[in-house]
Amino acid sequence: EDKVVQSPLSLVVHEGDTVTLNCSYEVTNFRSLLWYKQEKKAPTFLFMLTSSGIEKKSGRLSSILDKKELFSILNITATQTGDSAIYLCAVERYGGATNKLIFGTGTLLAVQP
Amino acid sequence: NAGVTQTPKFQVLKTGQSMTLQCAQDMNHNSMYWYRQDPGMGLRLIYYSASEGTTDKGEVPNGYNVSRLNKREFSLRLESAAPSQTSVYFCATGDRGRSQPQHFGDGTRLSIL
């Protein structure tokens, strides 16, 4: 059975801290791994990773994929209160007429001033 | 503005009532999806439509029906609502051919009493 596991489930940090969020997966027909940020409403796209070892970076956020060990990490440096959100990891698998996403349960990040 | 629009944003139903959740997109994506999000469960796929005129079951389809009205619109119907269907429902669009990540609407918060 396909599964995506995120850790930790939640964490609380102070502004300026660096955090690392983890995502491990066991999914057949892997195509890509995606990270989303969810505040009050819609999950918003952060990164799509398809190749091992290539870091993707956007401002203070970065992510990398290890397809051999089947995991990804999302790093946030110099955290701000605006980074408080649920971070969702999803694995896209090939399947029939369309590709499907399998989501982890998310990591709830709270950044305190 | 390009995006995915869901209506209504909130709804309270009594057990046994029926209702339809609407989703419309102007991103010209071929595929559309319905998810539900419950605490501790992540997002789970209910139904999807790979392209106009096709629909298929996802992970948790029981108690739901869908209609892909045209390329833009994909509706989700609860024929006889049950308290277990209390959840936040998200519509998403995607396009495998263009390697685009799935893009989500703002969600419908549904409570069934």
Side-chain angles (χ1 to χ4, degrees), chain B residues 83-104:
Chain B
S84 61
Q85 294 177 304
T86 293
S87 189
V88 181
Y89 291 85
F90 287 99
C91 176
T93 71
D95 197 318
R96 178 174 68 174
R98 288 186 271 167
S99 294
Q100 299 254 334
Q102 286 187 22
H103 187 94
F104 288 80

Side-chain angles (χ1 to χ4, degrees), chain A residues 6-12 20-23 87 105-109:
Chain A
Q6 292 186 244
S7 63
L9 291 180
S10 64
L11 74 162
V12 180
T20 298
L21 309 183
N22 303 294
C23 177
Y87 289 84
T105 55
T107 293
L108 176 61
L109 173 65

